[in-house]
Amino acid sequence: MRAAEFPATVLIVLLALLCLSSAAFSEELVTALSTDQIEIASNFDGSEIVIFGSIERGSAAATRASYDLIITAAGPLETVVARRKERVLGVWINQSNRQFSDLPSYYAVMSSKPLDAITTDQIADRYRLGLNNLQTQGARTAHSPADDQRFIDGLFRLKMSENLYHYNSDGVHFLSPRLFRTTLDLPANVPVGDYTVTINLFADSSRLATSTHRFRISKIGFERATYDFAKNQSVLYGIATVFIAVFTGWLAGLIFRRD
Amino acid sequence: MLLYLPIAEIPVSVLIILSMGGAVGFISGMFGVGGGFLLTPLLIFTGIPPSVAVASVASQIVASSTSGALVHWRRKSVDMKLAITLLAAGSVGSAIGVSVFRYLRAIGQLDLVLALSYVTFLGFIGILMLVESLRAIQRKRDGKKSRTRKTGHHNWVHRLPFKVRYRRSKLYISVIPVLGLGATIGFLGTMLGIGGGFIMVPALIYLLRVPTSVVIGTSLVQIVGTMAIATLLYAVTVGTVDVVLAMALMVGGVFGAQIGARLGQSLQGEQLRLLLALIVLGVGLRFLVDLVVEPGELYSLAILERRGA
């Protein structure tokens, strides 16, 4: 190499090294939702959102046997009381209860394999993945853990029967080794509010990458106006309802009057 | 086809709601009863939360009673002074009913009290109606004439103090039983989601000795007023009046009532009353069965508070 070309060569080598280092990540997720707004109109009967994305492998990525995904979607938080009926004097009455604070009103877990085949319980717990890792601590009383568990089981059973809590261990489908999609089912009685979707990439039991999205479910149009009116102007709403009733009664008399 | 109820926040089948309103309207047109005592249970049986059912039916009762009340008012077969006194007491009773309703809902015992009240109320009324209609059928077979009641005949009620003259009913009676009756009907009607005409009409006839010519009109005016207050109170306190549900019920009810009224004139009165007695007993029995039989799911959830909506 002649002396004059030496600095140029160093520059080129340095540039090449710079380019390589910016691509030295292991894996990254590139994800999207099919929509970030669900609108509840008068004929609403549930909806669905498609979550999809790809796994980008960087130069630092090790060879992996396969990738797995755990995707969670959580709705607005609520405080719920679970009540249990017991027989009193021949009649079934609500007796004991447990209160659960700050639980998601909707919680879905979709994964490419059953959770325990993807990662360990400790890691799932650390990242709060899975239905069992919902924070039901508040409902635990000191003296009857077995009974507390029955209430927790009852809560989950009821939520799952309404499809508000959902676990699909075969819910994430791979279209190619690094391209995936899943469908989030929203039932007809899905609560209104802000939802958070978290996509977790796993391989060899450890979490490699994560990405978050948000979507919102809201009532629109007539339903929203009526709901807001009833909530914010309840006196006027009550009076208006009475007016509608009296008017309907009067109109009916008018239409059907036989003289 | 589905209709999303904005306050109840659940979708319901339009066909089912219209049919229910129509069927109950049919019964109300045929028998001259309000129908709330059948409509509220039917809505609860189809899965609509009791707090929404009771509050929305209250407004539907306003609609169905208004057309009848207007007819009577035009014919001048209403004792307005009596109706307003009953209404005033009814409003107080209604307010108490709404507070009790809210309290029961907060402690999770609303369903139970509603079911127990319906079993008692429907069972009692149903048996009374059954006996009365069977007797009427028997009397008709024997060819006897039905006994005429003597209005103006005094009983213990007429010996109470604070008497007020009700000219239209030709009554001079203490205001205490009037207020008591109005308040009781207002309380029961509001808490259970019924109009109360069922109790009001016989009570006016037998207890206060109001002449039959003004009884139905007066009772209807009182029901319109008391249920209007109840609707307002429910809207302001628990906020479970669903105007969309109420309107769907009103539409079905109005059409059903017309068909029922027309059909009712061509059929025999006593046999219809027997049929109604059986329907009433049937609904009461259903409540009883639900109370006594071990439910499939012992647990239930109630949302106390939801954030971020």
Side-chain angles (χ1 to χ4, degrees):
Chain A
M1 211 186 297
R2 277 176 294 170
E5 293 165 326
F6 186 75
T9 322
V10 170
L11 210 58
I12 292 167
V13 171
L14 274 174
L15 272 169
L17 277 171
L18 265 171
C19 292
L20 277 176
S21 63
S22 68
F25 59 87
S26 56
E27 277 98 350
E28 260 179 19
L29 280 171
V30 177
T31 55
L33 301 180
S34 58
T35 177
D36 60 0
Q37 270 279 84
I38 300 272
E39 293 174 338
I40 296 181
S42 57
N43 57 349
F44 184 74
D45 187 27
S47 188
E48 55 182 41
I49 293 184
V50 179
I51 305 164
F52 56 97
S54 73
I55 303 164
E56 302 292 301
R57 283 174 60 89
S59 59
T63 35
R64 311 273 181 199
S66 66
Y67 287 108
D68 283 304
L69 288 152
I70 300 176
I71 300 178
T72 66
L77 298 178
E78 64 185 11
T79 300
V80 173
V81 62
R83 297 195 171 101
R84 178 173 60 209
K85 282 192 168 68
E86 278 143 43
R87 187 182 232 150
V88 172
L89 298 173
V91 177
W92 289 87
I93 301 179
N94 280 329
Q95 283 283 72
S96 35
N97 60 65
R98 295 282 190 283
Q99 186 163 310
F100 298 83
S101 305
D102 296 334
L103 278 187
S105 49
Y106 173 92
Y107 190 69
V109 180
M110 257 91 56
S111 53
S112 44
K113 283 205 210 53
L115 253 58
D116 51 14
I118 296 179
T119 185
T120 64
D121 285 347
Q122 287 103 302
I123 296 179
D125 187 44
R126 189 200 312 164
Y127 295 124
R128 304 268 171 86
L129 300 171
L131 286 176
N132 332 2
N133 290 312
L134 284 178
Q135 299 304 89
T136 52
Q137 263 66 348
R140 292 182 197 276
T141 56
H143 40 265
S144 47
D147 210 33
D148 294 340
Q149 191 57 45
R150 279 193 221 108
F151 274 98
I152 294 172
D153 292 342
L155 169 83
F156 279 99
R157 191 172 52 241
L158 287 165
K159 285 283 194 184
M160 287 172 87
S161 69
E162 290 183 78
N163 214 16
L164 288 173
Y165 279 13
H166 187 66
Y167 169 42
N168 189 345
S169 58
D170 189 30
V172 181
H173 303 293
F174 278 97
L175 307 171
S176 80
R178 301 212 301 271
L179 208 58
F180 62 88
R181 63 163 278 163
T182 185
T183 309
L184 191 66
D185 264 317
L186 301 166
N189 59 342
V190 71
V192 164
D194 292 319
Y195 287 66
T196 309
V197 175
T198 312
I199 302 150
N200 301 280
L201 177 68
F202 277 83
D204 305 318
S205 292
S206 54
R207 188 170 82 165
L208 305 174
T210 178
S211 78
T212 324
H213 291 275
R214 280 186 224 288
F215 67 90
R216 171 171 289 186
I217 301 184
S218 50
K219 296 191 186 100
I220 54 155
F222 172 73
E223 283 67 32
R224 198 227 175 84
T226 310
Y227 183 82
D228 288 348
F229 187 33
K231 266 234 143 64
N232 304 331
Q233 317 260 28
S234 48
V235 177
L236 280 178
Y237 174 78
I239 294 175
T241 307
V242 170
F243 258 115
I244 291 172
V246 170
F247 178 75
T248 309
W250 170 80
L251 193 66
L254 203 67
I255 295 174
F256 293 108
R257 188 171 13 179
R258 292 177 297 157
D259 285 41
Chain B
M1 197 194 118
L2 283 167
L3 184 67
Y4 184 81
L5 302 177
I7 312 298
E9 294 186 309
I10 50 168
V12 292
S13 155
V14 177
L15 212 60
I16 290 180
I17 298 293
L18 286 178
S19 319
M20 272 200 290
V24 174
F26 178 79
I27 291 175
S28 90
M30 187 173 271
F31 297 99
V33 294
F37 65 96
L38 281 180
L39 193 54
T40 307
L42 275 180
L43 288 178
I44 295 175
F45 292 154
T46 54
I48 292 181
S51 42
V52 174
V54 169
S56 307
V57 168
S59 58
Q60 191 266 0
I61 292 173
V62 172
S64 56
S65 306
T66 297
S67 44
L70 280 174
V71 167
H72 283 276
W73 187 59
R74 274 191 217 106
R75 279 197 219 143
K76 303 215 192 308
S77 56
V78 178
D79 183 338
M80 277 314 275
K81 188 171 174 183
L82 184 60
I84 289 176
T85 317
L86 288 169
L87 217 166
S91 309
V92 173
S94 185
I96 299 173
V98 173
S99 328
V100 171
F101 190 88
R102 287 174 70 195
Y103 171 69
L104 289 173
R105 190 167 174 243
I107 63 169
Q109 301 296 0
L110 179 65
D111 295 24
L112 172 72
V113 172
L114 278 180
L116 282 173
S117 308
Y118 267 109
V119 170
T120 315
F121 173 64
L122 292 177
F124 185 63
I125 299 280
I127 291 174
L128 274 181
M129 291 180 65
L130 189 68
V131 165
E132 192 269 334
S133 58
L134 285 174
R135 266 206 210 130
I137 291 175
Q138 192 60 43
R139 261 205 307 271
K140 197 149 191 195
R141 276 209 203 117
D142 294 345
K144 287 192 210 131
K145 274 210 194 131
S146 48
R147 292 164 296 174
T148 44
R149 276 172 316 270
K150 280 184 281 212
T151 52
H153 177 80
H154 283 203
N155 58 17
W156 65 273
V157 166
H158 289 248
R159 270 171 261 154
L160 292 169
F162 301 113
K163 293 200 175 188
V164 172
R165 195 170 296 277
Y166 296 101
R167 205 148 286 155
R168 186 70 188 77
S169 312
K170 303 188 185 75
L171 275 184
Y172 183 54
I173 190 172
S174 157
V175 77
I176 296 172
V178 177
L179 292 176
L181 185 63
T184 309
I185 305 281
F187 173 75
L188 282 177
T190 303
M191 235 199 67
L192 301 181
I194 59 181
F198 245 92
I199 316 170
M200 175 70 80
V201 167
L204 284 177
I205 294 177
Y206 292 109
L207 221 61
L208 301 184
R209 304 291 179 190
V210 176
T212 38
S213 55
V214 287
V215 146
I216 292 183
T218 309
S219 160
L220 282 172
V221 170
Q222 189 267 0
I223 290 171
V224 170
T226 313
M227 286 294 112
I229 302 276
T231 302
L232 189 60
L233 288 174
Y234 274 129
V236 170
T237 54
V238 288
T240 56
V241 176
D242 193 307
V243 69
V244 173
L245 176 62
M247 278 166 55
L249 290 170
M250 284 178 212
V251 167
V254 153
F255 280 99
Q258 287 305 313
I259 302 173
R262 267 156 234 230
L263 226 58
Q265 285 165 358
S266 47
L267 299 176
Q268 288 204 307
E270 296 82 20
Q271 286 169 337
L272 284 185
R273 292 211 295 275
L274 179 65
L275 182 63
L276 185 61
L278 291 174
I279 294 174
V280 168
L281 283 173
V283 176
L285 194 67
R286 166 71 200 263
F287 272 112
L288 186 65
V289 165
D290 280 351
L291 276 175
V292 161
V293 168
E294 178 169 352
E297 174 62 75
L298 292 180
Y299 293 83
S300 60
L301 295 178
I303 297 165
L304 296 183
E305 191 199 324
R306 189 177 279 162
R307 312 216 233 102

